[in-house]
Amino acid sequence: MKKYILDLRVKSVEKVGGRYSLLKLTHEQPLPEMVPGQFVEVRVDNSPSTFLRRPISINFVDRDANELWLLVAAIGEGTRHITTLKPGDTLNCVLPLGNGFTMPKSSSDRVLLVGGGVGVAPLLYMGAEMKRNGIEPTFLLGARSAADLLEIDLFRRYGRVCITTEDASEGEKGFVTNHSVLGEKFDMIATCGPKPMMVAVARYAYKAGVECEASLENMMACGLGACLCCVEKTTEGNLCVCKEGPVLNIKKLLWQL
């Protein structure tokens, strides 16, 4: 898939709880094709301590409005700076990067999309694309508390939403792997979020014999497979997550061993 370096215009920046912000970006030309699970590399301007681009998952693509959505967690200096942008500002992005999720082909497939924290971001776009293709997913979303849940109303547009919170402030208490929905049968699972959560989901899928893909969040710098800082050990040797992933089938990962 062809890659582009674009100066995108910020249409809006919305606080969506705590340290999270939703940026909606546009361009004077139609945005390039992007698939769920891919990401962009964002240049952080006017930040003297930020030298490398920041990788951010594609949260949603609104073709009608010609918008790219990025859900950004203000964790370090770079991402904090990105969340201070205002409408009309410019954000330079390299996109689209990496390989996305495998999309189900049959409307009879039962698909579970599992996310935690800001890792829910790519699952919104995947759910929307599935719904557009006549397949309604089940979302399983986890957070520490109700205040940390992100974009729940948007997820409900595209499928059934199941929730876990560690403090029982919403949904079922515990981690995503404690939710009762896992007692149902699924044909495919896709997951993104904190690594311990994804490892637990992968082990569940492996034992249940369910196809599963995970979107890894290894440290990335170049986004093109050149710097080797995002290498993951797999059954096929060391793979660059930014180029061979970020989405990988769990059969390639060593998590279940």
PDB file of all heavy atoms in Angstrom, residues 38-62:
ATOM      1  N   GLN A  38      -3.991  -0.268  10.958  1.00  0.00           N
ATOM      2  CA  GLN A  38      -2.823   0.493  10.534  1.00  0.00           C
ATOM      3  C   GLN A  38      -2.619   1.705  11.450  1.00  0.00           C
ATOM      4  O   GLN A  38      -3.473   2.023  12.286  1.00  0.00           O
ATOM      5  CB  GLN A  38      -2.973   0.943   9.080  1.00  0.00           C
ATOM      6  CG  GLN A  38      -2.880  -0.191   8.074  1.00  0.00           C
ATOM      7  CD  GLN A  38      -2.914   0.307   6.643  1.00  0.00           C
ATOM      8  OE1 GLN A  38      -3.809   1.036   6.232  1.00  0.00           O
ATOM      9  NE2 GLN A  38      -1.910  -0.086   5.850  1.00  0.00           N
ATOM     10  N   PHE A  39      -1.481   2.386  11.270  1.00  0.00           N
ATOM     11  CA  PHE A  39      -1.178   3.523  12.130  1.00  0.00           C
ATOM     12  C   PHE A  39      -0.515   4.623  11.324  1.00  0.00           C
ATOM     13  O   PHE A  39      -0.208   4.459  10.140  1.00  0.00           O
ATOM     14  CB  PHE A  39      -0.279   3.094  13.303  1.00  0.00           C
ATOM     15  CG  PHE A  39       1.116   2.665  12.910  1.00  0.00           C
ATOM     16  CD1 PHE A  39       2.196   3.527  13.021  1.00  0.00           C
ATOM     17  CD2 PHE A  39       1.360   1.373  12.443  1.00  0.00           C
ATOM     18  CE1 PHE A  39       3.483   3.131  12.660  1.00  0.00           C
ATOM     19  CE2 PHE A  39       2.638   0.958  12.089  1.00  0.00           C
ATOM     20  CZ  PHE A  39       3.700   1.845  12.197  1.00  0.00           C
ATOM     21  N   VAL A  40      -0.319   5.759  11.978  1.00  0.00           N
ATOM     22  CA  VAL A  40       0.379   6.894  11.351  1.00  0.00           C
ATOM     23  C   VAL A  40       1.563   7.269  12.235  1.00  0.00           C
ATOM     24  O   VAL A  40       1.574   7.005  13.432  1.00  0.00           O
ATOM     25  CB  VAL A  40      -0.555   8.107  11.169  1.00  0.00           C
ATOM     26  CG1 VAL A  40      -1.801   7.719  10.390  1.00  0.00           C
ATOM     27  CG2 VAL A  40      -0.942   8.720  12.504  1.00  0.00           C
ATOM     28  N   GLU A  41       2.554   7.879  11.615  1.00  0.00           N
ATOM     29  CA  GLU A  41       3.686   8.440  12.353  1.00  0.00           C
ATOM     30  C   GLU A  41       3.555   9.959  12.318  1.00  0.00           C
ATOM     31  O   GLU A  41       3.528  10.567  11.245  1.00  0.00           O
ATOM     32  CB  GLU A  41       5.018   8.008  11.741  1.00  0.00           C
ATOM     33  CG  GLU A  41       5.422   6.581  12.061  1.00  0.00           C
ATOM     34  CD  GLU A  41       6.166   6.444  13.384  1.00  0.00           C
ATOM     35  OE1 GLU A  41       6.321   7.472  14.073  1.00  0.00           O
ATOM     36  OE2 GLU A  41       6.585   5.323  13.726  1.00  0.00           O
ATOM     37  N   VAL A  42       3.448  10.557  13.495  1.00  0.00           N
ATOM     38  CA  VAL A  42       3.160  11.980  13.619  1.00  0.00           C
ATOM     39  C   VAL A  42       4.428  12.752  13.979  1.00  0.00           C
ATOM     40  O   VAL A  42       5.145  12.382  14.915  1.00  0.00           O
ATOM     41  CB  VAL A  42       2.093  12.217  14.699  1.00  0.00           C
ATOM     42  CG1 VAL A  42       1.860  13.701  14.917  1.00  0.00           C
ATOM     43  CG2 VAL A  42       0.796  11.522  14.306  1.00  0.00           C
ATOM     44  N   ARG A  43       4.702  13.813  13.236  1.00  0.00           N
ATOM     45  CA  ARG A  43       5.827  14.693  13.566  1.00  0.00           C
ATOM     46  C   ARG A  43       5.388  15.687  14.638  1.00  0.00           C
ATOM     47  O   ARG A  43       4.329  16.298  14.524  1.00  0.00           O
ATOM     48  CB  ARG A  43       6.287  15.447  12.316  1.00  0.00           C
ATOM     49  CG  ARG A  43       7.619  16.202  12.519  1.00  0.00           C
ATOM     50  CD  ARG A  43       8.023  16.898  11.243  1.00  0.00           C
ATOM     51  NE  ARG A  43       7.161  18.037  10.956  1.00  0.00           N
ATOM     52  CZ  ARG A  43       7.009  18.569   9.735  1.00  0.00           C
ATOM     53  NH1 ARG A  43       7.631  18.048   8.698  1.00  0.00           N
ATOM     54  NH2 ARG A  43       6.217  19.608   9.551  1.00  0.00           N
ATOM     55  N   VAL A  44       6.215  15.822  15.657  1.00  0.00           N
ATOM     56  CA  VAL A  44       5.895  16.743  16.753  1.00  0.00           C
ATOM     57  C   VAL A  44       6.720  18.004  16.566  1.00  0.00           C
ATOM     58  O   VAL A  44       7.928  18.029  16.813  1.00  0.00           O
ATOM     59  CB  VAL A  44       6.180  16.097  18.126  1.00  0.00           C
ATOM     60  CG1 VAL A  44       5.748  17.038  19.246  1.00  0.00           C
ATOM     61  CG2 VAL A  44       5.458  14.758  18.246  1.00  0.00           C
ATOM     62  N   ASP A  45       6.079  19.058  16.115  1.00  0.00           N
ATOM     63  CA  ASP A  45       6.775  20.329  15.874  1.00  0.00           C
ATOM     64  C   ASP A  45       6.812  21.184  17.141  1.00  0.00           C
ATOM     65  O   ASP A  45       5.964  21.055  18.023  1.00  0.00           O
ATOM     66  CB  ASP A  45       6.074  21.108  14.756  1.00  0.00           C
ATOM     67  CG  ASP A  45       6.142  20.393  13.417  1.00  0.00           C
ATOM     68  OD1 ASP A  45       7.162  19.724  13.157  1.00  0.00           O
ATOM     69  OD2 ASP A  45       5.183  20.498  12.636  1.00  0.00           O
ATOM     70  N   ASN A  46       7.804  22.054  17.195  1.00  0.00           N
ATOM     71  CA  ASN A  46       7.925  23.038  18.289  1.00  0.00           C
ATOM     72  C   ASN A  46       8.027  22.392  19.667  1.00  0.00           C
ATOM     73  O   ASN A  46       7.581  22.954  20.668  1.00  0.00           O
ATOM     74  CB  ASN A  46       6.747  24.011  18.258  1.00  0.00           C
ATOM     75  CG  ASN A  46       6.631  24.727  16.927  1.00  0.00           C
ATOM     76  OD1 ASN A  46       7.628  25.194  16.373  1.00  0.00           O
ATOM     77  ND2 ASN A  46       5.415  24.783  16.393  1.00  0.00           N
ATOM     78  N   SER A  47       8.607  21.200  19.712  1.00  0.00           N
ATOM     79  CA  SER A  47       8.862  20.530  20.991  1.00  0.00           C
ATOM     80  C   SER A  47      10.355  20.203  21.042  1.00  0.00           C
ATOM     81  O   SER A  47      10.802  19.235  20.430  1.00  0.00           O
ATOM     82  CB  SER A  47       8.033  19.246  21.114  1.00  0.00           C
ATOM     83  OG  SER A  47       8.350  18.554  22.308  1.00  0.00           O
ATOM     84  N   PRO A  48      11.142  21.000  21.731  1.00  0.00           N
ATOM     85  CA  PRO A  48      12.600  20.854  21.688  1.00  0.00           C
ATOM     86  C   PRO A  48      13.125  19.523  22.211  1.00  0.00           C
ATOM     87  O   PRO A  48      14.241  19.139  21.884  1.00  0.00           O
ATOM     88  CB  PRO A  48      13.106  22.018  22.552  1.00  0.00           C
ATOM     89  CG  PRO A  48      11.939  22.405  23.402  1.00  0.00           C
ATOM     90  CD  PRO A  48      10.731  22.140  22.585  1.00  0.00           C
ATOM     91  N   SER A  49      12.322  18.802  23.000  1.00  0.00           N
ATOM     92  CA  SER A  49      12.790  17.530  23.554  1.00  0.00           C
ATOM     93  C   SER A  49      12.263  16.324  22.790  1.00  0.00           C
ATOM     94  O   SER A  49      12.523  15.183  23.171  1.00  0.00           O
ATOM     95  CB  SER A  49      12.394  17.416  25.030  1.00  0.00           C
ATOM     96  OG  SER A  49      10.990  17.411  25.165  1.00  0.00           O
ATOM     97  N   THR A  50      11.481  16.542  21.717  1.00  0.00           N
ATOM     98  CA  THR A  50      10.908  15.443  20.945  1.00  0.00           C
ATOM     99  C   THR A  50      11.533  15.418  19.560  1.00  0.00           C
ATOM    100  O   THR A  50      11.282  16.306  18.739  1.00  0.00           O
ATOM    101  CB  THR A  50       9.373  15.603  20.825  1.00  0.00           C
ATOM    102  OG1 THR A  50       8.820  15.784  22.123  1.00  0.00           O
ATOM    103  CG2 THR A  50       8.761  14.369  20.194  1.00  0.00           C
ATOM    104  N   PHE A  51      12.343  14.399  19.304  1.00  0.00           N
ATOM    105  CA  PHE A  51      13.090  14.333  18.046  1.00  0.00           C
ATOM    106  C   PHE A  51      12.498  13.328  17.060  1.00  0.00           C
ATOM    107  O   PHE A  51      12.731  13.446  15.860  1.00  0.00           O
ATOM    108  CB  PHE A  51      14.549  13.968  18.328  1.00  0.00           C
ATOM    109  CG  PHE A  51      15.216  14.902  19.294  1.00  0.00           C
ATOM    110  CD1 PHE A  51      15.442  14.512  20.608  1.00  0.00           C
ATOM    111  CD2 PHE A  51      15.604  16.167  18.907  1.00  0.00           C
ATOM    112  CE1 PHE A  51      16.047  15.361  21.518  1.00  0.00           C
ATOM    113  CE2 PHE A  51      16.211  17.037  19.801  1.00  0.00           C
ATOM    114  CZ  PHE A  51      16.435  16.641  21.109  1.00  0.00           C
ATOM    115  N   LEU A  52      11.785  12.342  17.555  1.00  0.00           N
ATOM    116  CA  LEU A  52      11.257  11.290  16.694  1.00  0.00           C
ATOM    117  C   LEU A  52       9.740  11.441  16.544  1.00  0.00           C
ATOM    118  O   LEU A  52       9.063  11.996  17.401  1.00  0.00           O
ATOM    119  CB  LEU A  52      11.564   9.910  17.290  1.00  0.00           C
ATOM    120  CG  LEU A  52      13.042   9.569  17.479  1.00  0.00           C
ATOM    121  CD1 LEU A  52      13.175   8.246  18.220  1.00  0.00           C
ATOM    122  CD2 LEU A  52      13.761   9.507  16.138  1.00  0.00           C
ATOM    123  N   ARG A  53       9.238  10.941  15.424  1.00  0.00           N
ATOM    124  CA  ARG A  53       7.794  10.907  15.227  1.00  0.00           C
ATOM    125  C   ARG A  53       7.147   9.963  16.241  1.00  0.00           C
ATOM    126  O   ARG A  53       7.801   9.059  16.770  1.00  0.00           O
ATOM    127  CB  ARG A  53       7.456  10.452  13.802  1.00  0.00           C
ATOM    128  CG  ARG A  53       7.801  11.485  12.731  1.00  0.00           C
ATOM    129  CD  ARG A  53       7.488  10.958  11.348  1.00  0.00           C
ATOM    130  NE  ARG A  53       7.800  11.940  10.313  1.00  0.00           N
ATOM    131  CZ  ARG A  53       6.929  12.784   9.776  1.00  0.00           C
ATOM    132  NH1 ARG A  53       5.660  12.742  10.179  1.00  0.00           N
ATOM    133  NH2 ARG A  53       7.293  13.641   8.855  1.00  0.00           N
ATOM    134  N   ARG A  54       5.859  10.162  16.479  1.00  0.00           N
ATOM    135  CA  ARG A  54       5.115   9.337  17.412  1.00  0.00           C
ATOM    136  C   ARG A  54       4.121   8.462  16.651  1.00  0.00           C
ATOM    137  O   ARG A  54       3.350   8.969  15.834  1.00  0.00           O
ATOM    138  CB  ARG A  54       4.378  10.205  18.438  1.00  0.00           C
ATOM    139  CG  ARG A  54       5.308  10.945  19.399  1.00  0.00           C
ATOM    140  CD  ARG A  54       6.085   9.944  20.256  1.00  0.00           C
ATOM    141  NE  ARG A  54       6.921  10.588  21.272  1.00  0.00           N
ATOM    142  CZ  ARG A  54       8.207  10.820  21.146  1.00  0.00           C
ATOM    143  NH1 ARG A  54       8.831  10.489  20.004  1.00  0.00           N
ATOM    144  NH2 ARG A  54       8.904  11.374  22.118  1.00  0.00           N
ATOM    145  N   PRO A  55       4.134   7.135  16.881  1.00  0.00           N
ATOM    146  CA  PRO A  55       3.167   6.261  16.208  1.00  0.00           C
ATOM    147  C   PRO A  55       1.816   6.316  16.918  1.00  0.00           C
ATOM    148  O   PRO A  55       1.739   6.200  18.148  1.00  0.00           O
ATOM    149  CB  PRO A  55       3.808   4.875  16.357  1.00  0.00           C
ATOM    150  CG  PRO A  55       4.600   4.963  17.630  1.00  0.00           C
ATOM    151  CD  PRO A  55       5.061   6.396  17.746  1.00  0.00           C
ATOM    152  N   ILE A  56       0.748   6.497  16.155  1.00  0.00           N
ATOM    153  CA  ILE A  56      -0.595   6.569  16.722  1.00  0.00           C
ATOM    154  C   ILE A  56      -1.535   5.746  15.849  1.00  0.00           C
ATOM    155  O   ILE A  56      -1.556   5.883  14.621  1.00  0.00           O
ATOM    156  CB  ILE A  56      -1.086   8.027  16.811  1.00  0.00           C
ATOM    157  CG1 ILE A  56      -0.131   8.854  17.679  1.00  0.00           C
ATOM    158  CG2 ILE A  56      -2.508   8.081  17.380  1.00  0.00           C
ATOM    159  CD1 ILE A  56      -0.488  10.323  17.758  1.00  0.00           C
ATOM    160  N   SER A  57      -2.329   4.889  16.485  1.00  0.00           N
ATOM    161  CA  SER A  57      -3.270   4.039  15.757  1.00  0.00           C
ATOM    162  C   SER A  57      -4.337   4.872  15.061  1.00  0.00           C
ATOM    163  O   SER A  57      -4.759   5.922  15.562  1.00  0.00           O
ATOM    164  CB  SER A  57      -3.959   3.067  16.725  1.00  0.00           C
ATOM    165  OG  SER A  57      -3.047   2.165  17.295  1.00  0.00           O
ATOM    166  N   ILE A  58      -4.791   4.380  13.925  1.00  0.00           N
ATOM    167  CA  ILE A  58      -5.921   4.995  13.240  1.00  0.00           C
ATOM    168  C   ILE A  58      -7.185   4.611  13.994  1.00  0.00           C
ATOM    169  O   ILE A  58      -7.536   3.436  14.088  1.00  0.00           O
ATOM    170  CB  ILE A  58      -5.977   4.537  11.778  1.00  0.00           C
ATOM    171  CG1 ILE A  58      -4.756   5.077  11.020  1.00  0.00           C
ATOM    172  CG2 ILE A  58      -7.279   4.980  11.113  1.00  0.00           C
ATOM    173  CD1 ILE A  58      -4.574   4.494   9.632  1.00  0.00           C
ATOM    174  N   ASN A  59      -7.849   5.606  14.546  1.00  0.00           N
ATOM    175  CA  ASN A  59      -9.052   5.379  15.343  1.00  0.00           C
ATOM    176  C   ASN A  59     -10.292   5.218  14.468  1.00  0.00           C
ATOM    177  O   ASN A  59     -11.159   4.371  14.729  1.00  0.00           O
ATOM    178  CB  ASN A  59      -9.218   6.550  16.318  1.00  0.00           C
ATOM    179  CG  ASN A  59     -10.443   6.456  17.195  1.00  0.00           C
ATOM    180  OD1 ASN A  59     -11.064   7.466  17.489  1.00  0.00           O
ATOM    181  ND2 ASN A  59     -10.805   5.262  17.623  1.00  0.00           N
ATOM    182  N   PHE A  60     -10.369   6.051  13.419  1.00  0.00           N
ATOM    183  CA  PHE A  60     -11.560   6.024  12.555  1.00  0.00           C
ATOM    184  C   PHE A  60     -11.249   6.819  11.302  1.00  0.00           C
ATOM    185  O   PHE A  60     -10.445   7.749  11.324  1.00  0.00           O
ATOM    186  CB  PHE A  60     -12.753   6.645  13.298  1.00  0.00           C
ATOM    187  CG  PHE A  60     -14.082   6.440  12.612  1.00  0.00           C
ATOM    188  CD1 PHE A  60     -14.727   5.221  12.672  1.00  0.00           C
ATOM    189  CD2 PHE A  60     -14.674   7.476  11.899  1.00  0.00           C
ATOM    190  CE1 PHE A  60     -15.955   5.034  12.044  1.00  0.00           C
ATOM    191  CE2 PHE A  60     -15.891   7.301  11.266  1.00  0.00           C
ATOM    192  CZ  PHE A  60     -16.537   6.073  11.344  1.00  0.00           C
ATOM    193  N   VAL A  61     -11.897   6.437  10.204  1.00  0.00           N
ATOM    194  CA  VAL A  61     -11.821   7.198   8.964  1.00  0.00           C
ATOM    195  C   VAL A  61     -13.247   7.500   8.520  1.00  0.00           C
ATOM    196  O   VAL A  61     -14.025   6.580   8.254  1.00  0.00           O
ATOM    197  CB  VAL A  61     -11.068   6.441   7.859  1.00  0.00           C
ATOM    198  CG1 VAL A  61     -11.045   7.259   6.570  1.00  0.00           C
ATOM    199  CG2 VAL A  61      -9.640   6.116   8.303  1.00  0.00           C
ATOM    200  N   ASP A  62     -13.589   8.779   8.487  1.00  0.00           N
ATOM    201  CA  ASP A  62     -14.916   9.222   8.054  1.00  0.00           C
ATOM    202  C   ASP A  62     -14.791   9.689   6.608  1.00  0.00           C
ATOM    203  O   ASP A  62     -14.315  10.788   6.334  1.00  0.00           O
ATOM    204  CB  ASP A  62     -15.407  10.364   8.956  1.00  0.00           C
ATOM    205  CG  ASP A  62     -16.846  10.771   8.649  1.00  0.00           C
ATOM    206  OD1 ASP A  62     -17.279  10.598   7.492  1.00  0.00           O
ATOM    207  OD2 ASP A  62     -17.525  11.270   9.560  1.00  0.00           O
TER     208      ASP A  62
END
